[in-house]
Amino acid sequence: MGDAVAQQIQQLREQLQKASYAYYVLDQPFMEDEVYDRLYRQLQDLETQHPDLVTPDSPTQRVGERPASQFNSVRHNIPLYSLENAFGIEEYRAWQEKWQRLAPEVGEAAAVAELKIDGSAIALTYENGILIQGLTRGDGVTGEEITQNLKTIRSIPLRLRTDRPPSRVEVRGEAFLPLGEFERINQQREANDEALFANPRNAAAGTLRQLDSRIVADRRLDFFAYTLIIPEAAEPGDLSRPDTQAESLETLQMLGFKVNPDRALCQTADEVAAFYDRWSTARHDLPYLTDGVVVKLNDFTLQRQLGFTQKFPRWAIALKYPAEEVPTLVKAVSVQVGRTGAVTPVAELDAVQLAGTTVSRATLHNSDRIQELDLHIGDTVVVRKAGEIIPEVVRVLPELRPADVMPFRMPTHCPECGETLVKPEDEAVTRCINASCPAIVRGALIHWARRDALDINGIGSKWVEQWVDQGLVRSVADLYGLSIEQLMQLDRMGEKLATKIVDAIAASKQQPWSRVLYGLGIRHVGTVNAKVLTQQFTSVDALKAAKIEDIEAVYGIGPEIAQSVYEWLRNPANWHLVEQLRAAGLQLEGSESATQPAAEELPLAGKTFVITGTLPSLSRNEAKALIEQAGGKVTGSVSSKTSYLVAGEDAGSKLTKAEKLGIPQLSEADLQALLKTDD
């Protein structure tokens, strides 16, 4: 019986490992998500019944059961050197001449050009094919041991794909956050009134140092491998040690690692220059950030001959792209009031082209940043895209400042309601604390109607603005008193549309308690935290009755979230809103499982989409949410398994590949029509 169970467990692991490799590394899924989930639960149940059969490479071990208390510092077996930088081809040629003086007999040697991923360098150690340790780069000599977090990255194999693995292998690569995930996380943080990540690199680094591996798993990091080290003392198993970097990358791919396909074996410096020039513009079409090209001499014998300086390998160099920054003029500074009352200053600019898009506005973050910049209206400023995503003012050029301009000062009163603004000593953010402020009410309504909150179709900013300005709605509870007749009094609102909106509002009463909690807009409470809280506290009354330490004791809920929830529910105005929602018939208790359709019933189930270019009205995240809500799957690259390519303006290499493979193409309008047709 024991042997039969062990064999069943091993078969399940192999099936799941193959499916995971096909999905996360090859981007060629062959197993439906529902089938994977069923097999995973089956494995989980068997391992629970037989804990002695659990192994470190089991798919169930990707996410730790409890947070780490700290990270230990561990010395690298081989120092993890940084690379010398070159800016432009002339500096690259100078580097080439330098190493050629040390090996004059070689001449011009072949080199592998690889895209330089903007993430965090990682060192992985495998013993007998099993991942046993993962370290950050640290200072290059010592790194932090973050194995539990790295196991959550699906493109990192827990077991090497070979029957006779080397007795010891070290693999190095870059953990990074794809742009789509970066946008998703920042949207979620903005909704929760949390500080936004400045760029994907910082987000990846911060994620890897999370003590709770479940948070790491939720952020969906990815990984590209680029270095394979089989120590001389190690038994190589079925492998022969690669002699070149090109062979090393092929071997890594064979072992189950994701290796960047955008690389080239270059025979001359001119070929390196061509690769560098091509990706200087093509990189903007990638689903991740790259800030340059890494060039490594291909021959390992030559690498060993050249060796290292005190800081860098002599046989590799990072050929960086210059940061894309442009000067422009500040015409004005406006301030925006968010749903939590946070006041954000925004520079209104003379429009400029930046990283492939037209930029006419840039964030100034907060009053501290404005003071640091010493910003005057009429200043010439340098603008860049933070992480190539969010336009921001980097610096002021005071030497170009006109004589008669005045420094900008943050307003003392809210531009929306006129109430006095407040800046807490421990915060950088200036706030309006008037709960009746039209901007706060508008933000609360739009948040309430979001797809991941109450999902009320038809409530957009245009209608919300009219409702608030005309006094029809002063809180989310007022939505449930709106009548068709009231709405028909609004400009351009006919009976058909008014009926549709009232029906959508009424339907939202069936949304589960977790969505209502998220929709309330309590600071720091996102969709994940809302689900965790409602699983523990199955009604709003139970949550209100809980002590702050009871809330904080829920796994995944920290003291900041607990304090925010506790105080919000004890505010009389907030509790009055809860009672109004209760009277309106909203779900303030119970489970959400009964409202979720089966996956196979969703209209786009089994269909795979890729999104590229700029869509007219939807962001990529919004388009992705629509597709996933209808049961479809969105991937980052085009393959023969892709059902549709959704293409907007400036679609690049993905469109070319889709045309070669004969993949059907959809515009945004086509996608909307497909969703409506399949509804």
Side-chain angles (χ1 to χ4, degrees), residues 23 83 101 154 190 255 266 308 347 422 544 596 643 651 676:
Y23 185 96
L83 296 178
R101 287 195 292 271
R154 301 287 180 156
E190 184 177 26
L255 290 173
C266 303
F308 298 81
V422 173
K544 187 189 179 187
Q596 300 298 317
S643 306
K676 289 176 183 176

Side-chain angles (χ1 to χ4, degrees), residues 130-356:
I130 305 296
L131 176 63
I132 63 162
Q133 188 178 76
L135 305 179
T136 63
R137 180 184 179 277
D139 61 6
V141 176
T142 301
E144 287 184 310
E145 197 265 317
I146 56 167
T147 312
Q148 184 168 290
N149 285 348
L150 293 172
K151 283 184 174 182
T152 69
I153 302 177
R154 301 287 180 156
S155 46
I156 293 179
L158 302 182
R159 173 190 285 273
L160 300 179
R161 289 174 59 83
T162 176
D163 293 334
R164 290 187 61 246
S167 57
R168 189 174 183 88
V169 166
E170 185 162 323
V171 174
R172 292 175 174 182
E174 201 84 1
F176 63 95
L177 192 63
L179 293 177
E181 286 303 308
F182 175 71
E183 291 174 6
R184 179 185 69 83
I185 292 165
N186 261 355
Q187 285 179 359
Q188 192 174 62
R189 293 177 72 85
E190 184 177 26
N192 298 339
D193 200 34
E194 297 173 335
L196 302 186
F197 287 122
N199 54 60
R201 182 180 185 178
N202 290 356
T207 298
L208 288 170
R209 299 194 75 260
Q210 288 285 333
L211 294 175
D212 188 345
S213 64
R214 296 187 304 177
I215 296 174
V216 185
D218 182 60
R219 291 186 182 170
R220 304 171 197 166
L221 293 169
D222 208 339
F223 180 81
F224 279 132
Y226 51 65
T227 298
L228 172 66
I229 302 168
I230 305 175
E232 289 297 325
E235 183 65 37
D238 284 338
L239 300 182
S240 57
R241 290 184 176 85
D243 295 321
T244 67
Q245 173 65 8
E247 290 176 8
S248 183
L249 293 172
E250 294 293 337
T251 303
L252 283 166
Q253 205 160 1
M254 184 191 72
L255 290 173
F257 289 92
K258 191 173 183 177
V259 177
N260 197 323
D262 297 314
R263 61 186 190 270
L265 179 59
C266 303
Q267 301 298 329
T268 65
D270 287 343
E271 290 182 21
V272 170
F275 184 89
Y276 175 77
D277 289 343
R278 177 161 66 89
W279 285 103
S280 66
T281 53
R283 64 193 175 107
H284 297 305
D285 212 26
L286 293 169
Y288 53 83
L289 286 184
T290 173
D291 57 355
V293 171
V294 173
V295 183
K296 302 172 187 172
L297 296 179
N298 191 41
D299 192 313
F300 285 171
T301 301
L302 179 57
Q303 288 188 13
R304 287 190 290 270
Q305 179 183 342
L306 293 174
F308 298 81
T309 68
Q310 288 187 343
K311 293 183 178 180
F312 311 117
R314 292 191 178 95
W315 42 265
I317 193 164
L319 189 51
K320 301 287 286 290
Y321 292 114
E324 193 164 353
E325 300 179 346
V326 295
T328 187
L329 193 70
V330 177
K331 299 188 295 185
V333 176
S334 58
V335 291
Q336 298 175 339
V337 184
R339 68 175 178 83
T340 63
V343 178
T344 304
V346 177
E348 307 292 341
L349 310 169
D350 270 348
V352 287
Q353 286 293 311
L354 179 61

Side-chain angles (χ1 to χ4, degrees), residues 77-148:
N77 295 317
I78 303 167
L80 213 166
Y81 288 85
S82 57
L83 296 178
E84 186 178 357
N85 290 329
F87 293 90
I89 294 301
E90 291 309 311
E91 289 189 19
Y92 172 77
R93 292 184 190 278
W95 167 81
Q96 187 181 43
E97 290 172 3
K98 188 164 58 176
W99 73 254
Q100 284 175 336
R101 287 195 292 271
L102 297 174
E105 73 284 358
V106 174
E108 189 160 35
V112 175
E114 308 168 37
L115 295 182
K116 184 177 182 297
I117 309 303
D118 202 8
S120 294
I122 297 298
L124 306 169
T125 301
Y126 290 79
E127 283 190 357
N128 299 314
I130 305 296
L131 176 63
I132 63 162
Q133 188 178 76
L135 305 179
T136 63
R137 180 184 179 277
D139 61 6
V141 176
T142 301
E144 287 184 310
E145 197 265 317
I146 56 167
T147 312
Q148 184 168 290

Side-chain angles (χ1 to χ4, degrees), residues 32-35 37 596-607 627-632:
E32 295 297 326
D33 290 347
E34 296 76 21
V35 177
D37 292 342
Q596 300 298 317
E600 61 271 15
E601 296 173 2
L602 295 171
L604 298 186
K607 297 175 183 176
I627 291 166
E628 291 179 342
Q629 189 178 3

Side-chain angles (χ1 to χ4, degrees), residues 587-616:
Q587 304 297 314
L588 297 173
E589 61 182 27
S591 168
E592 63 179 280
S593 58
T595 68
Q596 300 298 317
E600 61 271 15
E601 296 173 2
L602 295 171
L604 298 186
K607 297 175 183 176
T608 302
F609 294 75
V610 173
I611 305 169
T612 186
T614 304
L615 301 178

Side-chain angles (χ1 to χ4, degrees), residues 438-451:
I440 295 175
V441 175
R442 288 196 300 266
L445 290 168
I446 291 170
H447 176 76
W448 180 263
R450 283 170 57 125
R451 289 190 186 92

